[in-house]
Amino acid sequence: MKQVEVLIIGAGPAGSVCGSLLKQAGVECLLVDQATFPRDKVCGGGLTVKAWRLLDMLLPGITYDYRPITRMRCQFENDPVCEFQSEYAIRMTRRKDFDYTLLQYYQNHGGQFLKGSFARFEQQANGRVLVTLKSGEQILCRYLVGADGANSLIRRQIHGEPKLHALFLEQFSEGEKDDDVFVHFSSNYKPGVFYKFSSIGRDMYGYANLESNENVPRHKANFREVLTKFGVEEGRICGAYIPLNTVPHTADNVILIGDAGGFANKLTGEGLYDAFKTAANAKRAIVEGKSFKETNADEFLKMEHQIKVFKFFFSPIGWRLIRWFMHYPKVIKWLFDAKMKRETFHK
């Protein structure tokens, strides 16, 4: 039986960053993931200024490929397009390459990685956690960190199925045809949005909606209609569910971070910033011997606030108010820039 101080399940951004931070602090850890890297996944891959600033601070010397985008466009129904240049660029990455870079950073700094699939965990009388992989291999650890994404098996074992989730559908078109981020709002897919990100070597089109599994065919049909409306040739559509309800912290030696804990922006779906931040807060809890509930208190509070913002945005009053603001690009630019750089973080 393997024994390790910290076992991290999931080698995406949250897991890899958490592992790197623990290695910096001299804590023994093991990162486990069932995927073969590099691997692709459903995600726009955009790093807002607060996200890339935080990442640069947490992982000194980290380098990765990205395409800077500052041109922002948004539209309600067939209203005039609201367009502006953001103060700071969104760094558009390819998640396949970006995630692999984060994993390599962890391994290059001495981090251990094991290819395997999580099956279950059991709390031991001595305060340790016994983790069993699907292969039958068992690992005994002091801390178990769940960073296994939106379909987290650790989360399901503790809390069951997510109560609130968003469906994200995406399609890629090869070639750098545009240089913008475009978001379209319509009552045809409210509460939800259609979006386009210009990325490295391709444009990515997406559709997000707050719905249940049985409505996937209808949403795919809506997505195809919007693609046609904007003159996009239909290609291969892929999708994923992102949990929006943030789960409470229940045990100090089992910590859920990133999408596994429901830490994604409830309105925009942005998850990379909160993946990095919860990873750092998990490291603090482990190194300082504190509860994750304490070190991650600001994130838990922010997630509660975002649920209220989400409900207001898609309420009849909020919908009309935001639509009215879209006629004033300078106001939208100010709000956008203020939000992108507002959050701060102390390592």
Side-chain angles (χ1 to χ4, degrees):
M1 182 187 300
K2 281 190 170 83
Q3 295 192 38
V4 67
E5 186 73 0
V6 182
L7 176 62
I8 305 172
I9 304 296
S16 292
V17 169
C18 185
S20 293
L21 295 175
L22 289 170
K23 289 300 298 180
Q24 290 176 18
V27 177
E28 178 194 17
C29 58
L30 173 64
L31 192 56
V32 176
D33 199 297
Q34 63 183 352
T36 298
F37 285 79
R39 59 94 179 94
D40 220 335
K41 67 174 296 181
V42 174
C43 179
L47 290 172
T48 56
V49 58
K50 61 183 181 181
W52 54 258
R53 278 179 167 174
L54 176 57
L55 182 62
D56 289 349
M57 181 173 64
L58 295 177
L59 305 186
I62 185 73
T63 58
Y64 50 90
D65 292 332
Y66 64 88
R67 184 181 177 195
I69 300 295
T70 58
R71 183 183 177 215
M72 306 294 151
R73 300 169 62 242
C74 46
Q75 182 183 30
F76 261 81
E77 304 291 2
N78 294 317
D79 294 354
V81 174
C82 175
E83 181 175 335
F84 61 92
Q85 293 286 332
S86 63
E87 182 177 352
Y88 294 96
I90 293 181
R91 295 181 175 180
M92 300 305 305
T93 70
R94 283 203 183 215
R95 284 296 302 273
K96 181 177 181 178
D97 301 323
F98 179 69
D99 289 12
Y100 188 41
T101 296
L102 295 179
L103 175 57
Q104 287 181 309
Y105 186 97
Y106 162 77
Q107 291 180 295
N108 291 340
H109 287 77
Q112 301 179 66
F113 175 76
L114 173 68
K115 191 176 187 306
S117 300
F118 171 86
R120 65 184 183 277
F121 77 88
E122 301 170 61
Q123 292 279 10
Q124 304 296 290
N126 62 1
R128 300 273 168 166
V129 183
L130 179 63
V131 174
T132 303
L133 303 182
K134 290 182 179 178
S135 64
E137 183 176 358
Q138 293 187 312
I139 304 171
L140 192 64
C141 58
R142 184 177 167 215
Y143 287 95
L144 171 62
V145 177
D148 46 340
N151 297 313
S152 171
L153 295 179
I154 299 175
R155 173 189 177 127
R156 290 186 183 184
Q157 181 175 333
I158 302 172
H159 300 283
E161 293 290 332
K163 297 180 177 61
L164 180 68
H165 54 238
L167 170 66
F168 282 79
L169 300 174
E170 292 183 353
Q171 173 186 308
F172 300 100
S173 296
E174 296 301 323
E176 296 181 358
K177 301 176 183 177
D178 297 309
D179 63 346
D180 64 346
V181 169
F182 174 68
V183 181
H184 186 261
F185 302 92
S186 172
S187 296
N188 294 330
Y189 33 85
K190 176 186 175 184
V193 297
F194 168 79
Y195 54 91
K196 182 201 71 179
F197 296 152
S198 299
S199 189
I200 300 176
R202 63 186 182 184
D203 290 333
M204 190 278 292
Y205 300 90
Y207 173 97
N209 199 279
L210 187 69
E211 275 292 356
S212 56
N213 299 13
E214 57 267 23
N215 290 314
V216 171
R218 176 170 66 83
H219 288 306
K220 282 190 175 181
N222 280 352
F223 187 27
R224 292 189 181 99
E225 289 179 6
V226 184
L227 289 171
T228 300
K229 173 182 178 179
F230 287 100
V232 182
E233 184 177 348
E234 184 181 335
R236 177 177 174 270
I237 295 176
C238 52
Y241 281 106
I242 303 297
L244 295 181
N245 60 298
T246 302
V247 296
H249 181 63
T250 57
D252 286 344
N253 59 352
V254 179
I255 300 172
L256 295 172
I257 61 177
D259 284 345
F263 295 103
N265 190 293
K266 314 307 180 190
L267 189 63
T268 66
E270 178 189 5
L272 288 173
Y273 172 79
D274 295 297
F276 304 152
K277 192 168 184 181
T278 54
N281 290 340
K283 171 259 182 180
R284 282 187 55 215
I286 293 168
V287 172
E288 298 175 15
K290 297 180 179 179
S291 169
F292 183 63
K293 184 177 181 179
E294 177 185 351
T295 62
N296 199 56
D298 57 340
E299 279 288 288
F300 284 114
L301 185 63
K302 185 179 75 172
M303 294 296 120
E304 292 180 8
H305 174 69
Q306 286 181 359
I307 287 290
K308 297 176 183 177
V309 174
F310 179 91
K311 291 179 179 179
F312 172 76
F313 187 95
F314 288 107
S315 69
I317 295 177
W319 192 251
R320 290 196 296 269
L321 183 62
I322 299 300
R323 186 173 186 176
W324 180 78
F325 270 118
M326 290 293 180
H327 292 85
Y328 300 93
K330 290 184 179 180
V331 175
I332 297 297
K333 170 182 167 55
W334 181 84
L335 291 171
F336 182 86
D337 289 338
K339 174 59 180 172
M340 288 301 99
K341 62 184 179 181
R342 187 179 68 186
E343 299 200 39
T344 58
F345 183 81
H346 302 286
K347 189 175 179 181

